[in-house]
């Protein structure tokens, strides 16, 4: 009997993957129940999470939001859920949330920090997201002067003349660069300092006498809460990145004086605790100023926080520079680029891409370290929480205030972490 071979003339339809290897069931098997040890660890973790949530969730949600004091809050909890129940007294947040956000900033002027925060979001948007129009960067450059004027008030000519100092430095650099580059850099630094220290106040008083435009002044001792943390953290982050990059380049340069200064500055700052620098800012820095100079305490803290963060940023950037292969430098030389062109177009973009995780980690640490200013008398959220707990109405409350403060800090720090991951994915040019 002749057997004819069977040849399929039509393709079979594709079948879905097994349930145990795809979809939710596949994910659970791969990540949670892949073998006896993984299964045991998953079950133990589930028991721990259940025990934590069974105690935490009732405390968080079976709580009180409206009460005049802690005693009334506990009476409401006992009457509603029983005397054995220990719920949270979120009424303290409802009662003092404005103080935790703004400190003792005058209530009639709260529109000023609100407007400043809204303008801040507009200013940093084109810096964080390159899809936005580049013309918005003009507003980003002007925002620090506008924001400072809105928060502290005073004559409008003050920020205008501070901005004029930068204009003087830029003009000096532009015109003297044709003569001598080092001279132009020195003039761009010295001339604005002379303008700000010796000339600006006289010009501001003269202009304000002729055209009196300004806002009601607000003293720095009225600042507080998360507003202080955002002001110090954001300003120090913004200023420390370019300063840290320059220090990293200075540490690798062949110029002896520049390299020695950069190494000495970095090692000194990294060897001193931040709290020590804050004490220096609050007590000793005024001794180096001319007699009669009123150097704002928050500005002093911003300067010290910026210097502290820039030293760590310099080391992170230096690590990125060291990670680049030597061929990148040789490629820049083969194209005929000078030092600054090579750094701008080839070296620094790659080094910063490598250093993104370390830079963002330093920024997150700096933002959290702003809580240290409570030690030198600035009422940040931690300082205000101590003041609130000292009030007889809320004496004895503890966890609710710190839980709220920690939650707000988590939102800011988690947002920075997510943006870091977005930036890494965006700049990832490698092949997987």
């Amino acid at each position: 009997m002749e057997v004819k071979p069977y040849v399929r003339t039509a393709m079979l339809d594709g079948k879905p993957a097994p349930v145990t290897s795809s979809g939710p069931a596949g994910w659970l098997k791969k990540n949670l129940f892949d073998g006896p040890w993984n299964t045991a660890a998953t079950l133990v973790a589930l028991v721990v999470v259940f025990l934590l949530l069974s105690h935490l969730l009732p405390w968080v949600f079976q709580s009180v939001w409206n009460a005049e004091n802690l005693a009334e809050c506990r009476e409401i909890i006992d009457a509603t859920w029983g005397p054995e129940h220990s719920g949270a007294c979120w009424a303290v947040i409802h009662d003092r949330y404005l103080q935790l956000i703004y400190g003792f900033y005058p209530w009639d002027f709260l529109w000023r920090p609100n407007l400043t925060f809204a303008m801040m979001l507009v200013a940093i948007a084109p810096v964080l997201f390159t899809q936005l129009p580049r013309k918005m960067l003009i507003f980003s450059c002007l925002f620090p002067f506008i924001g400072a004027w809105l928060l502290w008030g005073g004559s409008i000519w003050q920020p205008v003349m501070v901005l004029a100092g930068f204009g003087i430095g830029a003009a000096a650099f532009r015109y003297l660069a044709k003569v001598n580059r080092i001279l132009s850099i020195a003039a761009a630094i010295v001339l604005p300092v002379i303008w700000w220290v010796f000339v600006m106040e006289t010009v501001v008083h003269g202009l304000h006498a002729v055209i009196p435009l300004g806002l009601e002044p607000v003293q720095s001792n009225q600042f507080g809460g998360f507003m202080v943390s955002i002001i110090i953290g954001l300003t120090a982050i913004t200023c420390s990145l370019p300063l840290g990059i320059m220090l990293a380049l200075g540490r690798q340069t062949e110029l002896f004086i520049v390299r020695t200064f950069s190494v000495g500055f970095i090692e000194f700052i990294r060897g001193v605790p931040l709290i020590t620098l804050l004490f220096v800012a609050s007590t000793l820095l005024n001794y180096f100023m001319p007699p009669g100079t009123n150097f704002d305490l928050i500005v002093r803290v911003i300067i010290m926080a910026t210097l502290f963060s820039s030293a760590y940023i310099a080391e992170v950037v230096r690590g990125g520079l060291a990670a680049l292969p030597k061929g990148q430098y040789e490629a820049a030389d083969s194209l005929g680029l000078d030092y600054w062109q090579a750094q701008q177009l080839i070296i620094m973009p790659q080094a910063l891409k490598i250093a993104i995780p370390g830079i963002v980690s330093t920024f997150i640490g700096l933002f959290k370290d702003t809580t240290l200013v409570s030690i030198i008398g600035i009422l940040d959220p931690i300082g205000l929480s101590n003041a609130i707990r000292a009030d007889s109405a809320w004496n004895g409350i503890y966890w609710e205030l710190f839980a709220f403060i920690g939650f707000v800090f988590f939102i800011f720090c988690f947002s920075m972490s997510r943006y870091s991951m977005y930036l890494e994915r965006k700049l990832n040019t490698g092949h997987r």
Side-chain angles (χ1 to χ4, degrees):
M1 179 178 180
E2 183 180 359
V3 179
K4 295 182 179 180
Y6 174 76
V7 179
R8 185 178 299 279
T9 59
M11 295 295 295
L12 293 176
D13 295 333
K15 295 183 179 181
V19 176
T20 57
S21 62
S22 65
W27 185 90
L28 290 173
K29 181 179 179 181
K30 178 181 178 182
N31 294 279
L32 301 180
F33 301 100
D34 185 16
W37 290 107
N38 200 358
T39 301
T42 299
L43 295 177
V44 171
L46 289 175
V47 171
V48 172
V49 170
F50 172 77
L51 293 175
L52 289 175
L53 293 181
S54 63
H55 290 80
L56 182 61
L57 292 181
W59 182 81
V60 172
F61 293 104
Q62 294 180 2
S63 53
V64 176
W65 281 93
N66 293 292
E68 297 295 330
N69 50 60
L70 182 59
E72 180 184 351
C73 189
R74 288 174 175 171
E75 291 174 0
I76 295 174
I77 292 175
D78 292 344
T80 307
W81 291 285
E84 71 284 352
H85 181 74
S86 58
C89 185
W90 299 117
V92 64
I93 307 299
H94 182 266
D95 184 48
R96 298 297 184 93
Y97 74 96
L98 286 177
Q99 190 176 7
L100 286 170
I101 296 174
Y102 302 103
F104 298 101
Y105 204 89
W107 303 129
D108 295 338
F109 300 149
L110 288 186
W111 64 270
R112 287 158 57 173
N114 292 337
L115 178 60
T116 302
F117 184 77
M119 295 173 68
M120 179 196 73
L121 297 179
V122 177
I124 65 175
V127 178
L128 300 180
F129 304 102
T130 56
Q131 301 90 336
L132 296 175
R134 295 294 88 191
K135 292 183 178 180
M136 292 180 64
L137 290 173
I138 299 175
F139 178 74
S140 302
C141 296
L142 296 177
F143 167 73
F145 308 98
I146 301 174
W149 175 64
L150 285 174
L151 291 174
W152 275 274
S155 174
I156 194 175
W157 300 111
Q158 189 83 21
V160 173
M161 292 300 105
V162 173
L163 184 60
F166 287 100
I168 292 172
F173 178 81
R174 179 179 179 182
Y175 289 108
L176 293 178
K178 303 175 183 178
V179 180
N180 185 286
R181 191 175 188 88
I182 297 178
L183 178 63
S184 65
I185 296 175
I189 297 174
V190 173
L191 291 180
V193 172
I194 294 174
W195 168 264
W196 292 326
V197 175
F198 299 105
V199 181
M200 187 182 72
E201 286 299 324
T202 303
V203 176
V204 169
H205 289 310
L207 290 173
H208 190 71
V210 177
I211 309 177
L213 296 176
L215 295 172
E216 186 73 22
V218 178
Q219 301 300 320
S220 290
N221 57 11
Q222 296 177 281
F223 286 49
F226 289 104
M227 183 175 69
V228 164
S229 297
I230 294 174
I231 292 172
I232 297 175
L234 182 64
T235 307
I237 286 172
T238 304
C239 297
S240 64
L241 180 58
L243 183 57
I245 293 174
M246 296 306 297
L247 287 170
L249 295 176
R251 184 160 189 164
Q252 292 192 328
T253 187
E254 296 180 357
L255 299 175
F256 176 77
I257 296 178
V258 176
R259 184 175 69 251
T260 303
F261 172 80
S262 300
V263 172
F265 176 85
I266 292 171
E267 296 303 329
F268 172 77
I269 294 295
R270 293 177 68 219
V272 178
L274 177 58
I275 187 61
T276 303
L277 298 178
L278 294 179
F279 276 119
V280 171
S282 63
T283 58
L284 299 179
L285 206 58
N286 267 350
Y287 289 106
F288 299 96
M289 297 292 106
T293 302
N294 184 18
F295 201 2
D296 190 271
L297 178 58
I298 293 180
V299 177
R300 284 182 269 165
V301 170
I302 289 173
I303 292 174
M304 286 301 180
T306 300
L307 297 178
F308 182 83
S309 177
S310 64
Y312 285 86
I313 292 294
E315 289 299 280
V316 173
V317 173
R318 187 169 70 92
L321 292 171
L324 286 183
K326 187 178 179 181
Q328 296 296 318
Y329 295 88
E330 295 173 346
D333 293 336
S334 66
L335 293 174
L337 302 178
D338 62 22
Y339 177 81
W340 293 108
Q341 290 174 332
Q343 292 294 336
Q344 179 183 356
L345 301 175
I346 296 178
I347 306 302
M348 195 53 65
Q350 298 183 74
L352 292 179
K353 184 177 73 171
I354 296 172
I356 284 175
I359 291 174
V360 176
S361 296
T362 303
F363 288 163
I364 291 175
L366 173 63
F367 185 72
K368 292 187 293 185
D369 284 343
T370 57
T371 55
L372 294 175
V373 300
S374 61
I375 300 176
I376 60 173
I378 298 178
L379 293 179
D380 74 314
I382 300 297
L384 283 172
S385 69
N386 296 330
I388 292 172
R389 290 190 296 114
D391 189 346
S392 59
W394 301 109
N395 190 8
I397 204 160
Y398 186 82
W399 292 106
E400 291 84 347
L401 287 168
F402 290 113
F404 174 74
I405 294 170
F407 177 71
V408 175
F409 270 99
F410 171 79
I411 292 175
F412 281 99
C413 296
F414 184 74
S415 300
M416 285 190 277
S417 176
R418 292 298 98 183
Y419 176 77
S420 169
M421 297 181 66
Y422 156 79
L423 198 59
E424 288 183 60
R425 290 193 301 268
K426 178 182 177 181
L427 299 178
N428 182 20
T429 56
H431 298 284
R432 296 184 180 274

